Structures are given as C-alpha cells and as structure tokens.
C-alpha cells in the first residue's frame, strides 16, 4: 500500500497538529547536526526534536536558519533538563536563546528526576561517592506547575513529559490543571509498552517514540521477524520499524546525520494487521529489551527498568 494511506500529522490535545516523523538530535555530534537539520528541513521534514542536555541546540538552531524554511512551518520540541526543575523559566530561556527562537511548539520535562547542581558538573552533578546528585524529596507537581505557567505565557505552545511511567503520571494527575500533550518514551517492538500506550491514549496524551531503530544493544534491524516483514513489504527493516509507530498512532523520532538515512527515514508504509500483531508480540515472546536506563538510582516506576 502507498504511504498515502498513512497520516502525515497527528492532533495534540491542544488542537495543534504535530508531524508524525521528527528528526531526533540525541547523540548527534556538534558540527554534524547543523548540516543534518538543514538537510532534513530542505528534504521535507517539518519536526525537529531537541534538548538542552544534548549539548547541540546552538547547532540545531543554526541548521534551522540555514535551511531557509520559515520558523512558523517547523514544529520544534525541546526538553527541560533535570537541574533546571526548580526554575523552568530559566531552563526554557537557555533553550530559546540557543535555538534562536522566541517560542517552542512543545516543551517536555525530560525526566521525572531533579538533579542538584554542584561543583562536579553543571548538568550531570554527582555526589562524592560517584552516584548522581538526585533530590528524591523534590515534588514533580511543582515542576509541572511551572510548566503550566510557561504554557500560559505563550512561550511554549504545548507541554508534556518524557520518560514517565503510569505510576508517575497517576501521581501528577492529582494536581495537574493542564493534561500533558505528549509522553516521549523509548518505544520499539522489543519495548512496545502496550499498557502505557493505552493509559496515555485514554487521557488524550500522545506517545512519541525515541530510539525507534534500537541500538547496538538491541539489534532490531537484524531481527529475523522484522527482516521477514521488511522483505514481504519490499522495504528496509528501518522503514518497518518507523512505520510500526505511525500505524499505531505514535509519533516517531528517528535520529541520523547521514543524508541518505534522513531521507529514507521519512518513508512510511501501511502495515497489515497481521504484521502489526507480529511486531506487537515480539517482546512478550522473549525479545523484550530496554536500551536507555540512566543510573538515577531507582526504576522511575517502570517494571522492567533493571531487568536487563
């Protein structure tokens, strides 16, 4: 089937539309990311996913300028870093200044974790024993209250979260006045998070998938079931993995600095119900694998966090 039968945008609970494929910029080296962003936008992307902790927002901003695509045509997401949770306005301003824009289309709390800055590091502080300098007493509802304030100010058009589990969302739900528009999480057939997806859908929260192609630690691209579906549809395994999310109503954020892969990652196909069911079942059939588990010191409410 042609990509014509696959949506190009999903609707947020704010009413705004978000392009279904965004260019991820995590682990994209400064120097490469400017060219990658400029190329992606010239190639037709209209959604860029950034974050302060990636350390490359200046380059992302330059890539946006170099593309010549008007700001208002681009959906830009960034994320509040853990050390800025007590002062969301300040964290947001650093990102706006780096990207060279006066508003974001979406701003996310990057992790439900507050880090306390100290002399060890501005963004990734550690205690004398080497553990992360985490403030376990910090109330995430206070961070969200500030997110609601910047949303009201108009500097961000939508607010959401990233890496939030059902128990954490349940807790936040007790005090939120604005329902998060998005929850960005690691998502792929080895970590489909079916329960979280249903929970978020029922609340009108759109899921976004990062690490959709896996990594060296989760060899999705060479998995025999995935390559079989790719052969059947006459496409690459990457196209299957990216299309999987869009067919299920999830925004997908593949990351690359290679022009060919950036172009290829925009190719999306309609997958059959049979293919989707097979992909949905891979984790339950013994292939479950979570790639990204930073050492915050606890599991953030995800049952599989340390079962690696």
């Amino acid at each position: 089937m042609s990509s014509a039968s696959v949506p190009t945008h999903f609707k947020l609970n704010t009413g705004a539309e978000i392009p279904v494929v965004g260019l991820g910029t995590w682990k994209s080296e400064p120097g490469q990311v400017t060219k990658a962003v400029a190329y992606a936008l010239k190639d037709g992307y209209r959604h860029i996913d950034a974050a302060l902790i990636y350390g490359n927002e200046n380059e992302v901003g330059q890539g946006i300028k170099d593309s010549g695509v008007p700001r208002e045509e681009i959906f830009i997401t960034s994320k509040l870093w853990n050390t800025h949770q007590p002062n969301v306005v300040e964290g947001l301003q650093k990102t706006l200044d780096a990207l060279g824009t006066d508003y974001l289309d979406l701003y996310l709390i990057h992790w439900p974790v507050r880090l306390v800055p100290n002399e060890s590091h501005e963004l990734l502080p550690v205690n004398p024993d080497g553990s992360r300098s985490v403030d376990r007493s910090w109330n995430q509802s206070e961070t969200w209250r500030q997110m609601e304030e910047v949303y009201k100010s108009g500097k961000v058009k939508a607010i959401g979260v990233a890496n939030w589990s059902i128990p954490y969302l349940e807790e936040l739900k007790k005090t939120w006045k604005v329902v998060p528009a998005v929850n960005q999480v690691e998502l792929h057939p080895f970590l489909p998070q079916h329960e979280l997806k249903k929970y978020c859908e029922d609340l009108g929260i759109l899921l976004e998938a990062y690490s959709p192609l896996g990594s060296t630690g989760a060899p999705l691209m060479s998995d025999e079931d995935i390559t079989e579906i790719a052969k059947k549809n006459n496409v690459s395994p990457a196209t299957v993995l990216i299309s999987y999310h869009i067919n299920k109503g999830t925004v997908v954020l593949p990351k690359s600095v290679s022009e060919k892969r950036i172009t290829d990652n925009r190719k999306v196909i309609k997958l059959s119900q049979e293919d989707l069911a097979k992909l949905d079942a891979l984790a339950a059939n013994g292939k479950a694998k979570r790639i990204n588990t930073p050492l915050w010191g606890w599991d953030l409410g995800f049952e599989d966090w340390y079962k690696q």
Side-chain angles (χ1 to χ4, degrees):
M1 289 178 77
S2 77
S3 60
S5 52
V6 181
T8 58
H9 292 75
F10 294 135
K11 194 161 270 201
L12 298 177
N13 60 19
T14 59
E17 295 210 316
I18 181 169
V20 295
V21 180
L23 179 73
T25 59
W26 182 35
K27 291 186 176 171
S28 293
E29 295 297 320
Q32 295 181 309
V33 74
T34 300
K35 286 182 186 159
V37 168
Y39 175 80
L41 290 169
K42 287 175 185 167
D43 193 53
Y45 280 75
R46 287 298 178 266
H47 179 180
I48 306 292
D49 185 79
L52 185 132
I53 191 62
Y54 300 166
N56 58 14
E57 286 191 318
N58 283 302
E59 288 85 358
V60 171
Q62 189 58 50
I64 290 167
K65 287 189 195 75
D66 291 352
S67 74
V69 176
R71 166 67 185 94
E72 61 273 14
E73 289 182 20
I74 308 168
F75 192 101
I76 303 176
T77 299
S78 188
K79 307 175 195 83
L80 175 79
W81 184 239
N82 305 17
T83 49
H84 295 135
Q85 290 207 7
N87 193 334
V88 171
V89 169
E90 183 186 322
L92 172 61
Q93 198 56 51
K94 283 178 188 286
T95 280
L96 293 174
D97 291 346
L99 291 170
T101 183
D102 55 4
Y103 73 96
L104 295 175
D105 297 277
L106 177 63
Y107 197 40
L108 309 177
I109 299 178
H110 205 145
W111 292 92
V113 177
R114 187 212 162 190
L115 289 175
V116 184
N118 60 31
E119 62 283 355
S120 68
H121 198 281
E122 185 192 354
L123 299 177
L124 287 167
V126 292
N127 296 314
D129 66 1
S131 62
R132 289 270 175 243
S133 176
V134 172
D135 178 1
R136 289 296 295 268
S137 68
W138 180 257
N139 191 336
Q140 289 295 317
S141 67
E142 168 54 22
T143 310
W144 189 251
R145 185 194 64 74
Q146 294 179 64
M147 293 288 282
E148 291 175 336
E149 290 297 318
V150 295
Y151 173 57
K152 276 189 244 168
S153 78
K155 285 195 169 184
V156 299
K157 305 295 182 193
I159 51 174
V161 294
N163 303 295
W164 283 54
S165 63
I166 293 173
Y168 276 60
L169 288 165
E170 275 291 290
E171 188 60 31
L172 193 63
K173 191 175 158 195
K174 293 173 184 173
T175 55
W176 72 35
K177 294 186 177 69
V178 177
V179 179
V182 157
N183 185 13
Q184 185 181 127
V185 292
E186 181 185 334
L187 219 54
H188 44 73
F190 288 5
L191 188 68
Q193 306 215 55
H194 298 309
E195 276 181 56
L196 179 65
K197 184 167 193 305
K198 173 151 192 349
Y199 177 88
C200 287
E201 265 175 11
D202 289 348
L203 288 169
I205 302 170
L206 186 69
L207 275 197
E208 292 186 332
Y210 72 73
S211 298
L213 305 179
S215 75
T216 48
L220 288 152
M221 303 274 257
S222 56
D223 177 80
E224 58 190 22
D225 290 305
I226 292 166
T227 52
E228 187 185 308
I229 291 169
K231 276 186 194 137
K232 184 179 111 178
N233 287 281
N234 201 26
V235 295
S236 70
T239 296
V240 168
L241 290 165
I242 289 164
S243 301
Y244 168 71
H245 295 293
I246 296 165
N247 278 258
K248 289 172 64 68
T250 298
V251 168
V252 63
L253 304 166
K255 177 240 128 178
S256 182
V257 292
S258 147
E259 291 188 357
K260 182 182 185 309
R261 282 200 292 274
I262 288 170
T263 296
D264 288 348
N265 287 347
R266 262 196 327 121
K267 292 174 186 161
V268 180
I269 62 163
K270 181 85 174 161
L271 290 167
S272 69
Q273 288 307 307
E274 180 194 357
D275 289 343
L276 288 172
K278 187 179 252 191
L279 292 165
D280 273 345
L282 291 182
N285 292 339
K287 292 183 177 176
K289 174 75 180 171
R290 182 182 286 274
I291 300 162
N292 189 33
T293 53
L295 301 174
W296 303 127
W298 75 103
D299 62 11
L300 305 187
F302 292 103
E303 288 176 6
D304 65 327
W305 192 258
Y306 291 123
K307 294 174 188 168
Q308 300 304 307

